[in-house]
Amino acid sequence: MTNPLADRIALVTGASRGIGFATAKALAKAGAHIVAVARTQGGLEELDDEIRKEGGSATLVPLNLTDSDGIARLGAGLHERYGKLDILVGNAGVLGPSSPIGHIELKAFNDVMAVNVSANFQLIRCMEPLLKQSDAGRAVFITSGAANKATAYVSPYAASKAALETLARAWAQETANTPLRVNLFNPGPVRTRMRATLMPGEDPATLDTAEQVAEFIVPMCAPDWTETGKFYDYKTRSLMSFRSPA
């Protein structure tokens, strides 16, 4: 099929740039209608232009994901308009401060958790009923190797991604006996603004692009994807199961 996601509704957060932007474009190219969520209106309009150029369609939702009531309103709006949601890509995330733990203010820590964890919790709460109305609801959350490496000097980010992984895995277990499939995707080092902020001396030409990464996210959103509670590692191109520490 040339449009394997035809007639499917896909919600992508953090869609104004980077992996979210590229994934939204790739999903649209596969036939999905994109509900693009981001804080940046300009970035969303650029995405809309790119999607329309290739014959796709999008609904733009300028929304700060720390607005939990806004997420609830979005869920209600999607219910009223479509009665379902087929795909959720939880991509939005912030890096937060790069400092030793003792130098990080509590507010800065809480700000990272608000976007990377609490917003995804609210998305799950508000979108689960819609995803269950789909014949093949699919959810993919973007994580990071920092979660299991407990990377030094980015503790809020690492802790938030570890929490996100556990949240997604618990949801996968809760929905294992339904058509809904919930998985995690680790892109590794990618040519994005966040990576450049973290590693300013790194040559971006040595990294894969967000567009390359997005091509591997799309199959996880398709109706014929059957795995749930798994972790796709882009660097090794492998689908992994979680296990207890040795």
Side-chain angles (χ1 to χ4, degrees), residues 164-220:
L164 174 63
E165 288 187 2
T166 302
L167 185 67
R169 290 168 60 199
W171 189 29
Q173 291 202 54
E174 291 174 7
T175 56
N177 294 323
T178 76
L180 176 57
R181 308 286 87 181
V182 180
N183 292 281
L184 291 145
F185 184 95
N186 176 27
V190 181
R191 200 182 309 173
T192 61
R193 186 182 301 181
M194 182 183 289
R195 179 70 183 183
T197 300
L198 180 63
M199 305 289 287
E202 187 175 52
D203 179 3
T206 63
L207 304 176
D208 282 0
T209 65
E211 288 72 23
Q212 289 173 293
V213 169
E215 292 302 321
F216 287 80
I217 297 174
V218 172
M220 299 176 72

Side-chain angles (χ1 to χ4, degrees), residues 53-71:
K53 257 189 233 175
E54 298 189 5
S57 63
T59 299
L60 308 184
V61 183
L63 176 66
N64 188 326
L65 288 175
T66 60
D67 179 1
S68 57
D69 290 340
I71 293 174

Side-chain angles (χ1 to χ4, degrees), residues 66 93-97 104 106-119 154-161:
T66 60
V94 295
L95 178 61
I104 297 171
L106 179 59
K107 181 183 184 304
F109 179 87
N110 288 339
D111 288 347
V112 173
M113 300 301 282
V115 176
N116 296 0
V117 185
S118 299
V154 289
S155 57
Y157 180 75
S160 71
K161 289 300 186 179

